[in-house]
Amino acid sequence: MSNEKKPVIVDDMAIKLKREVPNWVITLSSVVLVLLLWEYFGRNVNPIFGSHPVAIGIAFWKMVKSGLLLKALAQSLQAFIVGYGLSVIVGIPLGLLIGRSRVLEASIGVFVTAAYAMPLVALVPLLVLWFGLGFTVKAAVVFLMAVFPIVINTWLGVRGVPKTLIEVGKSLVAPPHVVMMRIVLPATLPYIMAGTKLAVGRAVVAMVIAEFFTAISGLGSIIINAANSFDTAAMFVPVIVIMILATGLNSFVGWIERRVAPWHTEMSGRSES
Amino acid sequence: MGQVSLKDVSKSFALRIENKTQIVHALKSVSFDVAESEIVVLIGPSGCGKTTALRILMGLETASRGKVTIDGREIKGCGYDRGLVFQHAELLPWLSAVKNVMFGLEMKGMRGPELKETAMRYLDLVGLKDAADRRPYQLSGGMKQRVGIARALAIDPEVLLMDEPFGALDAQTRENLQAELLDIQKRTGKSIVFVTHDLDEAVLLADRIVVMRSGYVQEIIDVPLRKLGLDMATARATPTFGQIRLKVWEALHNQPTSSHAH
């Protein structure tokens, strides 16, 4: 009897598996559809006011062949990596400390909250005066845009750690730094990862803003120079590269999240995607 | 070893409710002793101070007045002579069951291969050897609390302090764990201070029941049941069980005796 039952169950599974369309197929179809619509309507638009995927593709190929795009991408990424890396290195410990110390929270917290809402664009000219037009100012702008969401998320995460979990450490006579590293930090990791994800988007925007002002290197400078010469198709190339870059970086941070805080994804029941 | 003594322990703190400061007297001159290998159950309605008494005993809170000693030594903060079992186990969710037990041992300074060996031995004691590598979210409520007990026992404390550890479990699991706790106590000889609001649980587990009401000790009742060595179902059916249960019930519900009324 059991031999007759088994294949039925397997068949049932197979049917269920067949019906489920993989996520990447849905995403890809959606992207293709949007591109087709854009191509169809974009062709009828004056090439100064808009562009379409084929024209952008041609401009993209020209820029790759001349080496301009790759060089600009490398320049932008360098500033991004340094600025973003610093914001992670500074932001996480700062958030942990503010969250654990009443004095630090009262004294520094207000600055962090205010700085998060700071209209950074307005300050870029000043930063240019301080750091010049080169690499340093770009890294500084990226850092300033990215560090505050990381601090704030870490800080809120620490505040959300259940008191009883800290008492587990206390009852086992763990010294404060051990409680911090072995209990508070891992309990806060999901929040930290959310903050670093949020910071990716802001850091990318910051990178482009900085390059607008300095306009001598990076993807942002291509945008400005193309826009100034009304070459709309060429302007879209770095814009799209940046969007793809941000999406890629986001999945990268998501991948790190699953590596360092797997219990969180498992607990919330989200499948790996 | 494992003798606990609370002498005239009081705890007061200021509470601000809607801009009015109120002094709350959580414990009023509480005294009781726990002898070696004895199980003392603190019972009372919520807010009676039983959990506060346990937290002071653990060293998580300090007494405003009075003296708490373990084997004659006055306690100063938390220590490895006491192991705490939390109400909801409070396992670290990013660590497997065995690593949760190892965490306590590591804090105590144990290193090397004996770390895992010791942790496994205590998981075995609570019947969870096969679930050692599971994370807390893969464990049932009863299993989590077993790991919590193993973590507290592994550091080899003189006294096990338990804060309503079975309160959140279903009746079946609770009865199993009660029986296992008595078994573990017999094997390890630990003194236990057990907080509960469950009358049956108190009578079945205790050698002595400390009945608490609004911050003071109403009555201390000796329970001869556990010494008879009966299994739980039989113990429940004895006349002694009914008598003691009634006595505790009365202590919980009667008007406070005048000597205690403040």
Side-chain angles (χ1 to χ4, degrees):
Chain A
M1 285 301 275
S2 63
N3 279 348
E4 282 169 28
K5 261 188 175 175
K6 258 187 184 168
V8 175
I9 295 165
V10 171
D11 272 354
D12 204 33
M13 287 290 290
I15 289 163
K16 213 182 164 191
L17 284 174
K18 228 185 258 172
R19 275 186 196 149
E20 199 106 309
V21 180
N23 284 352
W24 67 268
V25 172
I26 301 172
T27 309
L28 191 69
S29 317
S30 150
V31 169
V32 168
L33 182 71
V34 167
L35 285 179
L36 283 174
L37 286 172
W38 186 7
E39 183 66 32
Y40 177 75
F41 291 107
R43 275 182 181 277
N44 303 321
V45 176
N46 182 325
I48 289 175
F49 293 119
S51 192
H52 52 94
V54 169
I56 296 168
I58 293 166
F60 173 82
W61 183 241
K62 269 191 207 159
M63 267 187 231
V64 169
K65 264 205 333 206
S66 70
L68 180 68
L69 188 66
L70 216 62
K71 191 177 155 220
L73 183 64
Q75 286 167 337
S76 292
L77 271 181
Q78 270 171 12
F80 177 88
I81 289 167
V82 170
Y84 183 77
L86 268 178
S87 72
V88 170
I89 293 168
V90 172
I92 294 173
L94 191 60
L96 287 174
L97 288 174
I98 294 177
R100 284 295 283 160
S101 153
R102 196 179 63 88
V103 175
L104 281 183
E105 183 168 43
S107 57
I108 301 180
V110 60
F111 292 110
V112 172
T113 314
Y116 180 58
M118 169 176 65
L120 193 68
V121 186
L123 294 182
V124 174
L126 188 63
L127 291 169
V128 169
L129 285 179
W130 293 351
F131 297 115
L133 288 167
F135 165 83
T136 323
V137 73
K138 285 201 269 179
V141 173
V142 170
F143 170 79
L144 284 175
M145 265 303 248
V147 73
F148 296 111
I150 295 178
V151 175
I152 288 175
N153 258 288
T154 309
W155 168 18
L156 291 180
V158 172
R159 295 295 306 272
V161 175
K163 202 177 123 225
T164 42
L165 228 46
I166 290 165
E167 284 181 348
V168 169
K170 279 189 185 164
S171 73
L172 293 165
V173 209
H177 69 274
V178 174
V179 171
M180 179 70 106
M181 295 308 290
R182 304 274 312 259
I183 293 176
V184 175
L185 180 62
T188 312
L189 264 181
Y191 290 86
I192 294 176
M193 295 317 293
T196 50
K197 252 186 189 172
L198 207 66
V200 166
R202 283 174 62 101
V204 169
V205 172
M207 180 182 84
V208 179
I209 289 174
E211 286 170 350
F212 273 14
F213 278 90
T214 56
I216 52 171
S217 67
L219 295 170
S221 78
I222 299 183
I223 298 177
I224 281 286
N225 293 333
N228 287 345
S229 52
F230 301 104
D231 189 352
T232 308
M235 190 202 78
F236 267 112
V237 172
V239 169
I240 285 167
V241 168
I242 286 163
M243 283 159 72
I244 293 171
L245 188 71
T247 314
L249 286 169
N250 238 323
S251 342
F252 178 63
V253 174
W255 177 78
I256 293 179
E257 179 179 15
R258 286 195 296 276
R259 296 302 297 269
V260 299
W263 72 91
H264 186 245
T265 17
E266 284 161 359
M267 276 195 301
S268 59
R270 269 187 296 149
S271 58
E272 306 218 345
S273 55
Chain B
M1 296 297 265
Q3 291 168 339
V4 181
S5 160
L6 271 79
K7 204 159 181 348
D8 288 323
V9 172
S10 300
K11 173 79 177 176
S12 312
F13 50 87
L15 199 67
R16 279 180 75 85
I17 304 167
E18 288 171 11
N19 293 326
K20 271 186 214 155
T21 309
Q22 214 181 339
I23 303 293
V24 179
H25 301 286
L27 290 181
K28 300 163 192 162
S29 197
V30 167
S31 302
F32 63 87
D33 295 317
V34 183
E36 188 179 338
S37 292
E38 194 181 29
I39 302 182
V40 168
V41 171
L42 308 184
I43 194 171
S46 6
C48 73
K50 56 191 193 295
T51 293
T52 307
L54 193 82
R55 288 173 61 85
I56 288 174
L57 199 45
M58 184 62 230
L60 288 171
E61 280 176 45
T62 51
S64 312
R65 259 180 298 120
K67 206 170 156 186
V68 182
T69 57
I70 304 227
D71 296 329
R73 283 169 281 119
E74 197 162 343
I75 63 152
K76 244 180 156 182
C78 301
Y80 298 114
D81 51 354
R82 286 149 286 155
L84 181 60
V85 177
F86 290 81
Q87 193 173 356
H88 299 289
E90 303 300 343
L91 305 181
L92 304 178
W94 50 90
L95 297 180
S96 64
V98 65
K99 283 190 174 156
N100 262 288
V101 180
M102 283 161 70
F103 181 78
L105 290 167
E106 260 182 89
M107 293 301 113
K108 204 186 170 186
M110 190 185 278
R111 296 286 181 272
E114 62 171 334
L115 197 58
K116 187 153 191 191
E117 283 162 27
T118 313
M120 286 306 288
R121 205 168 62 236
Y122 280 94
L123 275 185
D124 196 23
L125 183 71
V126 296
L128 273 186
K129 210 176 179 181
D130 296 331
D133 292 323
R134 289 208 216 163
R135 291 247 175 80
Y137 73 94
Q138 296 164 320
L139 300 170
S140 68
M143 291 164 110
K144 276 184 206 163
Q145 202 49 280
R146 282 166 208 260
V147 180
I149 293 170
R151 178 175 64 190
L153 277 175
I155 60 167
D156 198 20
E158 309 291 342
V159 193
L160 198 58
L161 307 176
M162 307 181 83
D163 184 12
E164 298 188 34
F166 308 146
L169 305 176
D170 62 89
Q172 190 81 55
T173 311
R174 192 186 314 149
E175 280 176 27
N176 291 340
L177 276 170
Q178 285 164 353
E180 275 175 51
L181 181 68
L182 289 183
D183 185 49
I184 288 169
Q185 196 281 334
K186 226 184 267 172
R187 281 198 269 166
T188 58
K190 302 286 179 206
S191 314
I192 298 176
V193 180
F194 192 105
V195 166
T196 186
H197 53 245
D198 183 328
L199 205 56
D200 289 14
E201 184 169 72
V203 180
L204 285 169
L205 294 180
D207 293 313
R208 265 182 317 141
I209 298 176
V210 178
V211 180
M212 293 187 67
R213 286 176 67 177
S214 51
Y216 59 86
V217 175
Q218 165 86 1
E219 199 172 342
I220 297 180
I221 298 165
D222 284 315
V223 189
L225 210 55
R226 191 167 77 93
K227 294 184 190 81
L228 302 176
L230 304 168
D231 66 83
M232 291 229 147
T234 320
R236 259 179 212 276
T238 57
T240 319
F241 177 82
Q243 286 158 10
I244 302 283
R245 198 181 184 284
L246 181 65
K247 214 170 162 188
V248 179
W249 191 91
E250 281 172 348
L252 282 168
H253 291 83
N254 284 356
Q255 283 302 309
T257 48
S258 58
S259 66
H260 284 108
H262 296 287

